[in-house]
Amino acid sequence: MLENGQRPWTGSEFYRDALDGDLMVEETSDGQRKEDYGADKIQVLEGLQAVRKRPAMYIGSTDVRGLHHLVYEVVDNSIDEALAGYCSEIEVRINNDGTLSVEDNGRGIPVEIHSKYGKSALEIAMTVLHAGGKFDSSAYKVSGGLHGVGVSCVNGLSEWMEVRVKRVGREYYQKYLRGIPLEPVKMIGPAEGRGTKVTFLADSEIFETIEFEYDTLQMRMRELAFLNKGITIKLIDKRAEREDVFHYDGGIVEFVRYINRNKTSLHPVPIFLEGEKDGVIVEIAMQYTDVYIENVFSFVNNINTHEGGTHMSGFKAAMTRTLNDYGRSSNIFKRIDENLSGEDTREGLTCIISCKVPEPQFEGQTKTKLGNSEVKGIVESLVNEKLSEFLLENPAVARGILEKSLQAARAREAARKARELTRRKGIFDGSGLPGKLADCSSRDPAKCEIYLVEGDSAGGSAKQGRDRGFQAILPLRGKIINVEKARLDKIVANKEIQTMVTAIGTSIAEEFDINKTRYHKIIIMTDADVDGAHIRTLLLTFFFRYMRALIESGYIYVAQPPLYKIKKGKAEHYVYNEKAKDSLVAELGPHGTSLQRYKGLGEMNPIQLWETTMDPATRTLKRVTIEDAVAADEVFSMLMGEAVEPRREFIETHAREVTNLDI
Ligand code: 0RA
């Protein structure tokens, strides 16, 4: 029998219902259960059918990103259990057979018979769409957020899934094929401790790839451990015998230290502010460094709110006001009219804002913008109050921050003057086009394309191979400037940037004007190697920071040069990825087949480059979305300064993801 009766209530109606039914699974007669099984089954099947029919509606996409969302979805349930105070360890394991397991040491999903449905609560949780969302109102559930669709959705998108629950000294088990249970939940033996373990094989009928990427999971698991202090998250890759254990008692303070680990900070200890009002919990950690960009990341219920929202507005308003007030009252401002803009106060700032909001409203293009209006005031008054307190108690740190902000204000003024000068000299207005640019003859931006090509030799081939009617070529030499390490005035003075911006025609930053763009396709064409990926990441980061509307308008693309040329007899085939190569080689057979791997664009002659990469009739272009750019920017901000090799590998993997998108 249940041992629950007097157990304090934990906040879930769904599970409360489950506990009403007084029966343990093994005490249920199977014959009884099969009767009501029919009607429920139809309902369940309809739900799962919907998920399988439109997977993107539930998990965003069916590419490698969607695949990883499955993992996050399952992990989120364990995180919820941890936030409720019942779970301290979560293990995520990529198994040798391509499956993935998530195991926690929480209370275990209830297995008791749900009175309304006449079957195990566990089965309902695993098979009924939104069961968790609808019934479970525990305060800060991650569910209801970005992809809070519940584990049943993952189940429906898995070739198979199995769940093991340890409770009250017993282990329970159920297995599903594409979301459909093979048999009722059964007790399979005694068990020690409690917990839940879910294992699944993503369905290759649904997903473009079902191969999990360690680096992608590693980044998210580390982030979750930072955002939820005290939880231990273990990540294991049985394919490569790789593993990490993430556990941070310092939470987001350690997150900020981590992001800044290779930067020079202005004060040794990050500033930490926290508070709670009307059920909204706010935590903020921040630290200034000597770099010139701001790295402010915000999260709501563990979801990265890339598009900001009310918590971000409240934070920015309070920062501007508090630092200006302090500058004036402490006489750090020399002139009475001295004034910091919001941007000035955030130059060099690394900040994590983490809010827990009971009923979050997510808005915006990618549903990553917090809409709850009450949160602005809550964050704003918290920061106003606690930050001014901090400044008064730490005058030396306060002076450092104010001086940095004043420098930023002066630099901004200098950059404005410099831009005026460049404008007078005609550098940015398109009147004096750079000599390196091989422009096209058309003047209709909607028809024109510009290829930003890595290196002079590939640039040469592209110039010869192109259709000069509408295709312009701009060779970029060497690395472009790292936008994190240079202020706008320096960036504006950089020759590669000047050439590129002048050719595009829009100017940058505050003077950026999308209507002046000379091309509606700006195509990044780099080698398919680490350096190429690095340049691509730098360019995306630059566009993201200073010419964002080009990305938002869908004008930025990545070219897809082939990886191999395969020849058999007279026939030549170009292939664009390893998988395609393997299957074509298998098809043609090794006899008389030759394989050439292209390491760089420079290895192709002009005709080959045209045929494979530039001819609109045959090429594939990948349009860069704002999400790709955000990812590139984040990879950059969070990984900058890490030991060079791992960082390069990481950038390479993730930059490759960017190129794997569909238009
Ligand atoms: C609500 C109530 C109880 C357990 C859970 C939620 C739970 C759900 C998941 C999902 C993944 N891991 C989980 N661990 C626990 C049980 C209530 C009780 O036993 O008192």
Side-chain angles (χ1 to χ4, degrees), residues 7 10 12 15 77-78 81 104 107-110 167 194 196:
R7 194 185 309 123
T10 54
S12 155
Y15 294 106
N77 290 305
S78 302
E81 183 68 357
D104 69 48
R107 291 165 297 176
I109 302 177
R167 282 170 74 86
R194 300 178 72 157
T196 304

Side-chain angles (χ1 to χ4, degrees), residues 229-244:
K229 61 179 145 231
I231 303 181
T232 301
I233 304 180
K234 204 166 174 187
L235 176 62
I236 301 170
D237 190 343
K238 295 307 278 182
R239 303 167 306 187
E241 293 302 336
R242 231 178 127 182
E243 70 171 73
D244 281 289

Side-chain angles (χ1 to χ4, degrees), residues 87 141 215 295 339 391 584 624 651:
C87 161
K141 275 196 72 65
D215 289 337
N295 282 315
N339 198 39
L391 295 173
L584 189 60
V624 173
I651 288 173

Side-chain angles (χ1 to χ4, degrees), residues 424-577:
R424 253 178 277 133
K425 282 199 276 177
I427 294 182
F428 272 170
D429 66 1
S431 63
L433 287 170
K436 284 170 59 179
L437 173 72
D439 208 4
C440 52
S441 41
S442 168
R443 284 288 164 268
D444 177 0
K447 295 204 177 86
C448 292
E449 309 178 343
I450 182 171
Y451 279 84
L452 307 175
V453 188
E454 174 184 0
D456 283 337
S457 85
S461 292
K463 277 182 198 174
Q464 290 175 49
R466 70 179 171 145
D467 180 332
R468 63 179 61 236
F470 64 97
Q471 292 181 318
I473 308 295
L474 182 67
L476 297 175
R477 197 176 304 133
K479 294 275 153 73
I480 83 154
I481 192 167
N482 171 355
V483 299
E484 187 174 58
K485 292 282 164 68
R487 253 189 196 132
L488 190 54
D489 52 346
K490 272 260 181 59
I491 291 172
V492 168
N494 177 270
K495 280 278 173 294
E496 293 301 303
I497 300 270
Q498 278 189 0
T499 324
M500 192 167 69
V501 175
T502 307
I504 295 172
T506 54
S507 189
I508 61 171
E510 287 148 36
E511 279 162 20
F512 175 87
D513 182 357
I514 185 107
N515 297 315
K516 292 196 179 142
T517 187
R518 302 178 61 248
Y519 314 91
H520 283 192
K521 286 201 174 73
I522 297 164
I523 304 164
I524 302 172
M525 186 159 76
T526 53
D527 290 340
D529 63 4
V530 179
D531 284 334
H534 194 196
I535 293 172
R536 190 157 61 232
T537 307
L538 279 167
L539 281 171
L540 286 182
T541 306
F542 170 73
F543 287 134
F544 177 72
R545 293 273 174 180
Y546 293 107
M547 303 169 100
R548 190 169 304 182
L550 288 180
I551 303 170
E552 287 164 343
S553 305
Y555 292 171
I556 307 284
Y557 294 82
V558 175
Q560 294 285 97
L563 268 188
Y564 294 97
K565 180 163 86 176
I566 301 173
K567 257 171 122 168
K568 175 143 189 170
K570 286 215 173 87
E572 291 181 348
H573 308 266
Y574 297 102
V575 292
Y576 295 81
N577 57 55

